[in-house]
Amino acid sequence: MGKKSLSTESYKGVRDFYPEDMFIEKYIFGKIRETVENFGYVEYGASPLEESELYRQKSGEEIVNEQTYSFKDRGDRDVTLRPEMTPTTARMVAKKRRELAFPLRWYSITNMFRYERPQRGRLREHFQLNVDLFGVEGIEAEIETITLASKILKDFGLKEENFEIQINSRKLLEKAYEPILKNKELFPVMLRLLDKKEKMGVDKFELEWKKLFKEPFEETKNYECPELKRILEILDKRGIKTKLNPYLVRGFDYYTDIVFEVFDTNPENRRSLFGGGRYDELLSLFGEENIPAVGFGMGDVTLKNTLETYDLLPQYASSVDIYLCIVEKEYTEAADTLASSLREKGLNVAVNYTYRKIGDQIKNANKEGAPYVVCVGKKEAETLRFELKELSTGKIEELSTEKIPDAIQK
Ligand code: HAM
């Protein structure tokens, strides 16, 4: 035919989820759902397609200019695949703010798209948990969301010393550098520069700083505020260690005060596990009165790396409970009848219709990871008694259809 075969590789920087991978994703987000709902949060969702305009004003320069997947649709609209959830969340809250009850506790688990250079902990598509609390002005909101972030990690079996919660206040940063911030526009520029401090290296950072402020960079002194101190103290009392990082700013323009990030302490996993903060002014973008808001995002890529590092991921187990092999074609009806009775009892049943040698069919049941096998042949079709074989032990029990569900350990 002369045509080149198609590649089996997935698109650059995104993942295929084979059943073993999906099993881990389901485990991770299943556990997270339990913890987050335990704190009174309810789930919402939205399409990954948004009008590009949504991200232009507040998301932060790097994300919008360099990292979005944007295109024109057939109706000449500018469309962007969401790089983050917060603008969508704010849009949805703004749209129904009169009907919603505050404090509003919302969470979502959705995919995000960012055009990044793929590397460990950074991909072009990731799934992210977003937890946001709207309508709480005081530090209770920061305390609750940071407590929840820490609880999520602990529920996976991580210990206090495996992760570090860093926290800072943008307002405090503004105050600390007030003498050199001659006009208001300089502050967001300063934040962007500080956000890139680590990436740039000291020399380049200090050079850029000098260009911007006409004076050399100086470490912040007397860096403390009562609000931040209270947050650290209360969390500490509750057994949650946090560390003040005076140069943590986070890359989004919409944060108004406290920002925080959670890191794995193992240097192998350098990328952050969680990032979030307070954004009290996002709703005004939609012509609505502002509502105080605090929230965070947590991605599956970095969390999975961390859980792998500490050996905290479960072994794969197929969702199939029982695998039926058919000895010869004429016993298909008997196998299907058995399958449908067992399914009605709530068991997950797969039937092999290849009519290959029984040994091969059992091998496939093993490959599939099914814990139990039943072979249906002449004797079984006539007597309606079946040999239930547990593959891990080789143990066999002869049972009637009704007795099989009881014999299976789910
Ligand atoms: P973010 O820091 O950009 O914040 O992302 C939050 C988390 O998502 C990161 O800590 C990381 O785990 C994961 N993440 C982000 N980008 C990637 C990527 N390219 N590959 C893999 N994982 C990634 C936000 O997006 C804010 N909207 C969070 C927020 C919610 N703030 C308030 N509410």
Side-chain angles (χ1 to χ4, degrees), residues 83-86 114 116 121-124 126 128 130-132 250 252 254-255 272-277 279 295-299 301-302:
E84 57 149 341
M85 198 63 176
T86 312
R114 297 185 190 180
E116 306 211 44
R122 279 287 172 273
L123 295 176
R124 291 187 170 172
H126 72 280
Q128 195 183 97
N130 270 262
V131 165
D132 291 274
R250 306 221 353 98
F252 298 103
Y254 49 68
Y255 293 116
S272 69
L273 290 162
F274 295 67
Y279 54 104
F296 65 76
M298 190 220 68
V301 182
T302 43

Side-chain angles (χ1 to χ4, degrees), residues 204-231:
K204 187 146 186 254
F205 169 78
E206 289 188 347
L207 209 74
E208 294 281 322
W209 183 278
K210 208 162 170 198
K211 251 201 254 163
L212 197 61
F213 299 108
K214 319 280 179 259
E215 5 186 315
F217 172 72
E218 258 189 71
E219 301 268 326
T220 54
K221 292 181 205 90
N222 301 323
Y223 197 79
E224 217 177 72
C225 83
E227 210 181 36
L228 197 55
K229 211 170 141 208
R230 284 280 302 144
I231 297 177

Side-chain angles (χ1 to χ4, degrees), residues 79-328:
V79 180
T80 294
L81 279 174
R82 73 177 153 226
E84 57 149 341
M85 198 63 176
T86 312
T88 301
T89 315
R91 179 178 64 67
M92 288 172 67
V93 172
K95 185 173 173 189
K96 294 214 168 176
R97 68 166 293 160
R98 274 162 208 86
E99 294 149 60
L100 296 168
F102 296 92
L104 185 76
R105 287 184 171 84
W106 274 13
Y107 83 92
S108 59
I109 294 165
T110 54
N111 50 352
M112 311 295 167
F113 302 87
R114 297 185 190 180
Y115 194 79
E116 306 211 44
R117 189 171 61 79
Q119 54 198 287
R120 182 165 171 87
R122 279 287 172 273
L123 295 176
R124 291 187 170 172
E125 183 195 24
H126 72 280
F127 285 76
Q128 195 183 97
L129 162 76
N130 270 262
V131 165
D132 291 274
L133 170 53
F134 288 87
V136 178
E137 260 171 48
I139 58 170
E140 295 81 1
E142 280 86 350
I143 290 166
E144 175 171 302
T145 44
I146 293 172
T147 304
L148 177 49
S150 148
K151 184 75 169 51
I152 289 172
L153 295 179
K154 285 180 183 160
D155 282 354
F156 278 108
L158 284 164
K159 306 232 162 48
E160 194 74 34
E161 63 269 21
N162 300 143
F163 59 91
E164 181 175 273
I165 305 170
Q166 297 187 3
I167 185 168
N168 193 23
S169 154
R170 282 188 175 190
K171 279 191 180 153
L172 183 57
L173 207 54
E174 194 173 11
K175 230 170 90 195
Y177 286 106
E178 205 175 5
I180 60 164
L181 288 166
K182 307 243 159 51
N183 63 51
K184 247 192 143 29
E185 274 91 73
L186 267 183
F187 186 54
V189 184
M190 183 183 107
L191 289 179
R192 261 175 234 145
L193 184 58
L194 280 172
D195 188 43
K196 293 197 195 118
K197 189 169 175 254
E198 299 270 298
K199 243 197 258 169
M200 276 181 159
V202 191
D203 293 348
K204 187 146 186 254
F205 169 78
E206 289 188 347
L207 209 74
E208 294 281 322
W209 183 278
K210 208 162 170 198
K211 251 201 254 163
L212 197 61
F213 299 108
K214 319 280 179 259
E215 5 186 315
F217 172 72
E218 258 189 71
E219 301 268 326
T220 54
K221 292 181 205 90
N222 301 323
Y223 197 79
E224 217 177 72
C225 83
E227 210 181 36
L228 197 55
K229 211 170 141 208
R230 284 280 302 144
I231 297 177
L232 295 173
E233 270 170 17
I234 294 173
L235 286 171
D236 187 57
K237 231 193 274 161
R238 297 183 186 177
I240 300 164
K241 297 258 170 304
T242 40
K243 193 179 149 202
L244 174 72
N245 172 358
Y247 304 112
L248 178 76
V249 296
R250 306 221 353 98
F252 298 103
D253 286 350
Y254 49 68
Y255 293 116
T256 50
D257 190 4
I258 301 290
V259 285
F260 59 90
E261 218 149 308
V262 184
F263 294 90
D264 184 338
T265 47
N266 188 321
E268 216 176 284
N269 307 314
R270 287 186 313 109
R271 301 283 177 174
S272 69
L273 290 162
F274 295 67
R278 179 172 282 278
Y279 54 104
D280 284 347
E281 289 160 17
L282 207 47
L283 261 67
S284 63
L285 283 187
F286 307 95
E288 287 291 332
E289 213 179 288
N290 281 320
I291 300 177
V294 175
F296 65 76
M298 190 220 68
D300 63 338
V301 182
T302 43
L303 179 63
K304 207 174 128 195
N305 286 346
T306 292
L307 297 177
E308 260 167 11
T309 303
Y310 296 102
D311 201 14
L312 291 170
L313 288 173
Q315 279 282 318
Y316 174 72
S318 167
S319 55
V320 171
D321 297 313
I322 176 163
Y323 193 100
L324 304 189
C325 306
I326 308 175
V327 180
E328 274 177 69

